[in-house]
Amino acid sequence: RLNKSFVVNRSASGVKAKYQALLQLSHYINQASAEGRSVWIAQREGRAKDGFDITDPAIIKMLYVWQKKQGVSFSDAMNKLNLVPVAISYEYDPCDGLKATELQARAAADYVKQDGEDVESIMRGIALPKGRVHIEIGKPLQGDFADAQTLAHALDQQIVENYRLFPPSLLAIEHMLNLGKAMQSLKDDSITRFQTIAQQARETLTAMDAQELSRQAAEFSARLAHYPAQVQRYILEMYANPLLNKYNYTSH
């Protein structure tokens, strides 16, 4: 393959066949790493539609399968792999409307994915504008990790902390406050704390984007106006959740 990609076999049926496919994938990744070749892998299967990008521990367990078979401890195996978190932040998600519409449909009734829906999402994601894009490479994860869950948390912490805050995240929260609606993921938080998050974000963004903020506020409002109110709620949550995630990690 010209781009050095590799196939993840998800079509295997039966416990033994699935295990063999998992073992083969784990072997390949571990071998590539041992040979000094980088392997880029997503932190979870599929796309996060709600703005919460959380590492699936099953991915880490897959990475360990091969070395576990060789009798290597979990912590030693992960240190040998030299895992490096990478945070990629988009100012705008080209598929925000599609994702929000799907979330709204799922909440209202059983959702049936239409033919070609995934292809459309891929094409929109490739072709449509994302605004500014920021890529930040974190520090290699080295340490004494007890299990996949512990390592997943360490990965998430770096990814969230390295996430670049763009104006749409703040604007989404301010829209919610202005509308008097509490974001679903903030339902257990007080409005005061919600306002504190928005205030801290505004102070950060004013320093970063003093001239851009008012222009982007109008642009964001126009983007929302393309969708009905019941879909707008999900778009707002989608943009606000990364900011909430960032606040939760950095405030502990």
Side-chain angles (χ1 to χ4, degrees):
R1 292 172 180 267
L2 293 178
N3 62 358
K4 297 183 180 180
S5 63
F6 53 91
V7 174
V8 176
N9 182 6
R10 297 194 180 98
S11 61
S13 59
V15 175
K16 187 174 181 180
K18 287 181 179 179
Y19 175 75
Q20 288 301 321
L22 197 68
L23 187 64
Q24 182 182 38
L25 179 61
S26 182
H27 184 196
Y28 172 79
I29 293 174
N30 277 273
Q31 182 177 326
S33 177
E35 294 172 356
R37 291 183 283 136
S38 295
V39 175
W40 294 72
I41 187 168
Q43 67 189 130
R44 54 176 282 180
E45 181 183 348
R47 305 169 302 159
K49 296 180 177 66
D50 58 2
F52 279 119
D53 290 296
I54 306 298
T55 300
D56 184 353
I59 300 292
I60 296 171
K61 291 176 183 177
M62 176 277 294
L63 295 175
Y64 179 47
V65 167
W66 174 254
Q67 292 204 54
K68 183 179 182 180
K69 191 176 176 65
Q70 314 309 310
V72 182
S73 71
F74 177 79
S75 192
D76 287 346
M78 294 301 101
N79 286 329
K80 284 173 64 178
L81 275 175
N82 197 38
L83 299 175
V84 180
V86 179
I88 304 177
S89 317
Y90 302 122
E91 190 167 19
Y92 286 105
D93 183 345
C95 297
D96 51 11
L98 291 178
K99 292 178 181 179
T101 301
E102 179 180 334
L103 288 171
Q104 192 274 329
R106 286 184 184 277
D110 291 336
Y111 179 77
V112 179
K113 185 169 288 190
Q114 302 298 313
D115 291 341
E117 195 170 318
D118 286 340
V119 174
E120 182 183 357
S121 294
I122 292 171
M123 294 305 297
R124 287 174 68 94
I126 293 172
L128 295 185
K130 301 175 182 66
R132 288 171 289 182
V133 178
H134 178 79
I135 300 176
E136 185 153 341
I137 299 174
K139 298 176 182 178
L141 288 170
Q142 297 288 318
D144 185 15
F145 300 105
D147 51 33
Q149 190 68 50
T150 304
L151 182 54
H153 180 77
L155 277 164
D156 288 339
Q157 185 162 10
Q158 277 206 47
I159 291 171
V160 170
E161 288 177 353
N162 291 336
Y163 180 86
R164 172 62 61 90
L165 179 63
F166 288 121
S169 292
L170 165 66
L171 296 170
I173 284 185
E174 292 190 336
H175 267 274
M176 289 175 166
L177 285 172
N178 291 337
L179 292 170
K181 296 179 179 178
M183 187 164 71
Q184 183 68 25
S185 52
L186 276 176
K187 61 185 178 183
D188 295 326
D189 289 350
S190 67
I191 292 297
T192 301
R193 181 167 177 271
F194 192 46
Q195 291 170 331
T196 299
I197 296 173
Q199 180 59 35
Q200 290 186 357
R202 176 162 281 279
E203 289 172 0
T204 301
L205 284 169
T206 299
M208 289 169 50
D209 298 279
Q211 297 180 346
E212 280 286 296
L213 207 49
S214 60
R215 181 190 67 79
Q216 292 211 14
E219 184 178 298
F220 189 70
S221 295
R223 192 180 188 94
L224 280 176
H226 286 293
Y227 301 97
Q230 62 268 31
V231 173
Q232 287 183 21
R233 167 199 160 190
Y234 292 97
I235 294 177
L236 291 173
E237 289 186 357
M238 189 185 307
Y239 282 103
N241 282 342
L243 174 56
L244 173 63
N245 233 0
K246 192 174 182 71
Y247 179 88
N248 283 340
Y249 271 97
T250 56
S251 62
H252 287 91

